[in-house]
């Protein structure tokens, strides 16, 4: 049955239920608005279902497998270590993904957010239509927040099908491949390469740039490269992927380096060369929303588009496609709609890559600060001098602080090593709160912990180091 003559009125309608959308809907509801959220596929979006969360689950499984096989240095001898990958995937899907997505559904219900399943299309600046199979419903709204996320980019010669995988396909393999080719050595490619390398797969990474993980500093990248080499991961840089040809039991990947054509064979090829914003087929043009040629929505510092009552957040607006960026923008947009005096400030948004070892950065890097002409001081404290890192047998890496040379103001920081994804939170707070070196050095850090490396780095920068 098609319902076309009924129009339901809302204060705010949110399109997309990922980490941007569901956060926006809940915050708008908390601000007293009548809210509905439209989702075409699954609550939680890409991040919770086929992205951030399941990938970290498999990363953890890979670490557990490596620990089980390689704990002789602790005096722990194991024989016959094996992995039941079917059970691993079941755990990932039922105990991790399902638990989180059901939790999000409960939070939406608790905050009285109506969930509407279907595809949303704007008719104009105050009305959209949601189609779900043969059913359709129109909704009028005072404000809308578009949080439709992004999808993997498909490159010529590598159509996603069969043994040519996108990130979703790689996270849902039924078996551990003997050989895997990864095209693209950015965040997603390097993380998934690490997953399967830890599970025993022979991995080849083809990267078009001169280095993998080019968004990070060179000394951070080298740590990951060295770890990959220890697991026999072959990294080929400045490589241009040309085509994939499926064979009876695998795939042949042709690529070019320095004008010379090469072929590598594998069970699967994973393509992770970037993501494309999901802004097509939404009718945004009908609502007067301006976009770039790439489909990126133009927004102001509150997430407001060229159409004043329509907001956009997450992967479809400028900036890196980070889940926590989307959640941050979601709160700003929802509170702006409620009349709060808020605006976006990206200076303290961290970026994390869950490789071995983990890499994390926030605020200015040394290069960025110097390029801006800032007078800075840089201090670097090694994990090798930290008791907790020694007890974990994970001593590679460091904490680096970038500070104003005259005042000691903390401008940025990087962590490369065990626990970097958690440690970066303290540095993000320091940047956000405009803390000084003394604020970190005078904060009593529990012993023995990895967080002491941050205190030690601040003392080093002050010229008063204890542990180095």
């Amino acid at each position: 049955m098609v319902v076309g003559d009924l129009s339901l009125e809302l204060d705010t309608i949110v399109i997309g239920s990922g980490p941007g959308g569901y956060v926006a809907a809940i915050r708008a509801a908390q601000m007293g608005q009548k809210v509905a959220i439209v989702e075409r596929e699954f609550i939680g979006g890409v991040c919770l279902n086929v992205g951030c969360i399941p990938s970290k689950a498999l990363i953890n499984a890979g670490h557990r497998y490596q620990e089980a096989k390689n704990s002789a240095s602790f005096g722990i001898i194991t024989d016959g270590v094996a992995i039941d990958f079917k059970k691993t995937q079941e755990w990932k899907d039922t105990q991790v993904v399902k638990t989180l997505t059901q939790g999000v559904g409960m939070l939406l219900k608790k905050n009285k957010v109506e969930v509407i399943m279907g595809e949303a299309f704007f008719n104009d600046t105050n009305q959209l239509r949601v189609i779900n199979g043969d059913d359709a419903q129109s909704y009028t709204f005072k404000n809308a927040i578009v949080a439709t996320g992004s999808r993997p980019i498909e490159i010529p010669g590598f159509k996603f099908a069969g043994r040519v995988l996108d990130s979703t396909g790689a996270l849902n393999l039924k078996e551990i491949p003997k050989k895997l080719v990864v095209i693209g050595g950015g965040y997603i490619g390097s993380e998934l390469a690490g997953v399967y390398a830890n599970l025993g797969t022979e991995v080849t990474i083809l990267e078009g740039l001169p280095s993998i993980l080019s968004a990070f500093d060179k000394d951070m990248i080298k740590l990951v490269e060295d770890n990959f080499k220890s697991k026999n991961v072959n990294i080929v840089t400045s490589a241009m992927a040309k085509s994939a040809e499926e064979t009876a039991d695998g795939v042949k990947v042709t690529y070019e380096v320095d004008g010379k054509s090469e072929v590598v064979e594998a069970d699967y090829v994973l393509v992770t060369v970037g993501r494309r914003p999901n802004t097509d087929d939404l009718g945004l043009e009908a609502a007067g929303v301006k976009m770039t040629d790439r489909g990126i929505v133009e927004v102001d510092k509150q997430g407001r588009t060229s159409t004043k009552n329509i907001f956009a957040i997450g992967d479809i607006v400028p900036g890196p496609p980070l889940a926590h960026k989307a959640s941050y923008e979601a709160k700003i947009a929802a509170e702006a709609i409620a009349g709060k005096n808020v605006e976006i400030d990206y200076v303290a948004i961290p970026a994390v890559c869950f490789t071995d070892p983990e890499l994390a950065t926030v605020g200015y890097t040394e290069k960025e600060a110097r390029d801006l002409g800032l007078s800075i001081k840089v201090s670097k404290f090694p994990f090798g001098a930290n008791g907790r890192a020694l007890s974990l047998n994970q001593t590679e890496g460091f904490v680096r602080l970038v500070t104003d040379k005259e005042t000691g103001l903390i401008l940025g920081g990087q962590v490369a090593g065990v626990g970097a994804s958690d440690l970066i939170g303290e540095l993000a707070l320091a940047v956000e709160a405009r803390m000084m070196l003394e604020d970190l050095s005078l904060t009593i850090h529990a012993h023995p912990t990895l967080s002491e490396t941050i205190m030690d780095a601040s003392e080093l920068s002050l010229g008063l180091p204890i542990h180095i």
Side-chain angles (χ1 to χ4, degrees):
M1 173 179 153
V2 177
V3 180
D5 57 351
L6 181 62
S7 179
L8 303 180
E9 295 184 3
L10 296 160
D11 292 327
T12 298
I13 193 162
V14 180
I15 306 173
S17 69
Y22 83 77
V23 170
I26 290 172
R27 181 52 54 88
Q30 290 172 339
M31 296 287 106
Q33 300 166 37
K34 181 181 179 182
V35 183
I37 191 167
V38 182
E39 174 54 55
R40 68 179 181 181
E41 194 169 4
F42 31 52
I43 296 299
V46 167
C47 177
L48 271 65
N49 289 274
V50 292
C52 320
I53 300 303
S55 66
K56 304 313 169 287
L58 291 187
I59 286 170
N60 180 51
H63 288 164
R64 294 295 184 91
Y65 182 61
Q66 285 291 316
E67 289 169 5
K69 287 181 63 180
N70 301 294
S71 293
S73 59
F74 303 120
I76 300 171
I77 309 302
T78 55
D79 293 312
V81 176
I83 181 168
D84 182 343
F85 197 56
K86 180 180 178 182
K87 190 170 183 179
T88 302
Q89 290 286 30
E90 287 176 355
W91 164 76
K92 178 202 75 179
D93 293 338
T94 60
Q95 300 301 311
V96 181
V97 172
K98 187 177 179 181
T99 299
L100 278 175
T101 54
Q102 286 183 339
V104 170
M106 291 175 62
L107 290 171
L108 291 169
K109 183 178 180 180
K110 174 187 173 184
N111 286 277
K112 297 180 172 56
V113 175
E114 180 185 358
V115 177
I116 305 164
M117 299 304 295
E119 299 255 5
F121 302 89
F122 283 93
N123 295 329
D124 54 40
T125 59
N126 290 98
Q127 187 181 81
L128 58 75
R129 192 173 182 81
V130 179
I131 299 175
N132 188 4
D134 292 333
D135 295 330
Q137 175 68 62
S138 293
Y139 297 84
T140 59
F141 55 85
K142 295 177 182 176
N143 298 281
I145 301 175
V146 185
T148 47
S150 61
R151 62 187 184 274
I153 292 174
E154 192 174 73
I155 59 176
F158 294 86
K159 181 177 176 59
F160 293 134
R163 294 183 179 273
V164 179
L165 309 174
D166 60 9
S167 54
T168 300
L171 288 169
N172 290 291
L173 286 174
K174 302 301 182 184
E175 75 283 341
I176 300 170
K178 292 182 175 63
K179 295 182 179 181
L180 175 69
V181 173
V182 178
I183 299 174
Y187 286 71
I188 299 172
S190 293
E191 287 185 357
L192 292 178
V195 166
Y196 286 105
N198 280 332
L199 296 176
T201 301
E202 183 182 321
V203 178
T204 299
I205 299 175
L206 303 179
E207 169 56 51
L209 296 174
S211 170
I212 62 170
L213 297 168
S214 57
F216 290 98
D217 291 334
K218 289 181 180 179
D219 55 355
M220 301 174 76
I221 298 169
K222 189 178 187 305
L223 292 169
V224 177
E225 290 176 335
D226 288 347
N227 188 277
F228 273 145
K229 288 174 185 175
S230 73
K231 296 167 184 171
N232 298 314
V233 174
N234 183 28
I235 302 173
V236 184
T237 56
S238 301
M240 181 64 66
K242 291 295 185 181
S243 64
E245 177 189 349
E246 288 206 29
T247 61
D249 56 357
V251 59
K252 288 184 178 180
V253 176
T254 301
Y255 65 95
E256 192 175 281
V257 178
D258 295 329
K260 183 180 178 181
S261 183
E262 302 280 357
V263 175
V264 59
E265 296 188 34
D267 300 308
Y268 297 95
V269 54
L270 164 62
V271 181
T272 59
V273 296
R275 299 183 66 83
R276 188 185 311 280
N278 292 326
T279 51
D280 43 359
D281 301 326
L282 279 173
L284 289 172
E285 297 86 354
V289 174
K290 291 183 180 178
M291 295 180 284
T292 69
D293 293 339
R294 293 180 53 247
I296 297 290
V297 179
E298 299 176 6
V299 291
D300 66 10
K301 289 187 176 183
Q302 291 187 320
R304 185 179 283 102
T305 71
S306 54
T307 300
K308 299 305 180 185
N309 66 317
I310 299 178
F311 293 71
I313 61 174
D315 291 6
I316 65 172
V317 302
L322 302 171
H324 47 278
K325 169 180 170 288
S327 296
Y328 169 73
E329 292 165 345
K331 297 168 190 175
I332 298 294
E335 292 176 14
I337 288 171
K340 300 286 186 180
N341 184 24
V342 292
E343 66 176 36
I344 292 166
D345 180 3
Y346 292 125
V347 69
I349 286 190
V352 178
C353 191
F354 291 82
T355 45
D356 294 333
E358 292 180 352
L359 307 181
T361 184
V362 68
Y364 291 128
T365 64
E366 179 179 358
K367 182 180 184 304
E368 289 169 341
R370 294 197 190 283
D371 287 347
L372 289 171
L374 300 177
S375 178
I376 61 170
K377 185 173 184 179
V378 179
S379 59
K380 183 176 176 181
F381 186 85
F383 275 104
N386 175 262
R388 180 60 174 152
L390 283 163
S391 71
L392 293 170
N393 199 32
Q394 297 185 62
T395 56
E396 68 273 16
F398 54 84
V399 170
R400 177 164 45 228
L401 297 180
V402 180
T403 57
D404 182 86
K405 192 172 184 177
E406 298 300 322
T407 65
L409 177 69
I410 298 166
L411 302 173
Q414 294 79 46
V415 186
V418 56
S421 57
D422 293 316
L423 292 175
I424 201 65
E426 183 174 344
L427 295 184
L429 175 61
V431 173
E432 175 66 29
R434 298 184 64 78
M435 290 182 182
M436 303 294 179
L437 284 168
E438 287 85 353
D439 294 316
L440 292 181
S441 67
L442 294 175
T443 297
I444 301 173
H445 290 70
H447 176 77
T449 62
L450 296 172
S451 67
E452 289 176 287
T453 56
I454 294 175
M455 177 183 68
D456 282 315
S458 66
E459 291 180 339
L460 177 62
S461 189
L462 288 167
L464 300 169
I466 299 294
H467 295 111
I468 190 173

